[in-house]
């Protein structure tokens, strides 16, 4: 089922999120509905607060980034990784962020039509439970790290617009 995506200004987008205690039939259905919602909106990630749920859950399918034309061998490797980068993150914790910050124009399904350059670090180490409620830890770089940081921000009550200058924020409002 396609769920409504809450828009900028809705209080749930700034709310503290709660941990998920166990994989239940309701959480499984929510994950399925979130995938359907994300694909319908042509997104690459969706966090539970964006559909009105203040829980620590987000999903990612970064395969659309894999379609970008690679300009070198490093980009070709990243595209190959992104082709299969589809994950469910339950109760995630970013353990570490490192590397140089780099800019990329980000957008958000909860703030349609707005895109701005956001600086994020190039590498993250994240622990989380997957859709089988098995504990995982991954080190991610490049676009995978960026999308994870963006979606993780949502479960922390942070929007991508919080990362841009005050002047640009005023223009968006």
């Amino acid at each position: 089922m396609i769920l409504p995506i809450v828009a900028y200004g809705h209080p749930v987008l700034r709310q503290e999120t709660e941990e998920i205690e166990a994989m239940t039939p309701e959480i499984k259905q929510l994950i399925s509905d979130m995938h359907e919602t994300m694909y319908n909106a042509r997104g690459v990630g969706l966090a539970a607060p964006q559909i009105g749920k203040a829980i620590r859950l987000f999903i990612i399918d970064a395969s659309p980034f894999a379609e970008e034309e690679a300009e070198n061998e490093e980009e070709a490797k990243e595209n190959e990784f992104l082709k299969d980068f589809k994950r469910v993150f339950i109760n995630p914790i970013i353990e570490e962020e490192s590397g140089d910050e780099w800019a990329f124009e980000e957008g958000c399904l909860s703030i349609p039509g707005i895109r701005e350059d956001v600086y994020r670090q190039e590498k993250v180490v994240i622990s989380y439970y997957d859709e089988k409620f098995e504990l995982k830890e991954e080190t991610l770089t490049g676009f995978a790290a960026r999308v994870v940081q963006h979606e993780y921000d949502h479960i922390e009550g942070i929007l991508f617009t919080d990362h841009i200058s005050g002047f640009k924020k005023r223009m968006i409002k």
Side-chain angles (χ1 to χ4, degrees), residues 25-42:
E26 293 81 14
I27 295 294
K28 284 182 183 179
Q29 184 61 51
L30 180 63
I31 291 168
S32 175
D33 292 346
M34 287 176 68
H35 276 103
E36 192 174 345
T37 302
M38 178 181 71
Y39 293 135
N40 182 66
R42 294 192 174 104

Side-chain angles (χ1 to χ4, degrees), residues 28-129:
K28 284 182 183 179
Q29 184 61 51
L30 180 63
I31 291 168
S32 175
D33 292 346
M34 287 176 68
H35 276 103
E36 192 174 345
T37 302
M38 178 181 71
Y39 293 135
N40 182 66
R42 294 192 174 104
V44 295
L46 184 67
Q50 293 180 275
I51 47 115
K53 306 282 184 192
I55 57 175
R56 297 187 67 78
L57 166 66
F58 62 84
I59 61 169
I60 291 174
D61 182 350
S63 59
F65 284 124
E67 298 166 10
E68 300 290 323
E69 190 172 325
E71 294 181 14
N72 56 48
E73 190 175 323
E74 186 177 320
E75 285 183 13
K77 276 185 183 179
E78 183 172 30
N79 286 357
E80 190 62 30
F81 176 77
L82 292 174
K83 186 169 54 173
D84 297 317
F85 189 65
K86 182 178 178 178
R87 305 274 193 286
V88 173
F89 294 84
I90 300 170
N91 301 334
I93 298 171
I94 290 183
E95 306 287 352
E96 180 183 337
E97 293 174 295
S98 61
D100 294 332
E101 287 192 346
W102 56 288
F104 185 78
E105 191 178 73
E106 292 187 17
C108 180
L109 297 176
S110 291
I111 311 173
I114 305 294
R115 299 190 63 79
E116 288 293 333
D117 278 348
V118 174
Y119 285 84
R120 296 193 188 269
Q121 290 180 285
E122 63 187 345
K123 180 179 176 182
V124 296
V125 177
I126 187 166
S127 59
Y128 63 96
Y129 290 91

Side-chain angles (χ1 to χ4, degrees), residues 64 135 148:
L135 185 60
V148 162

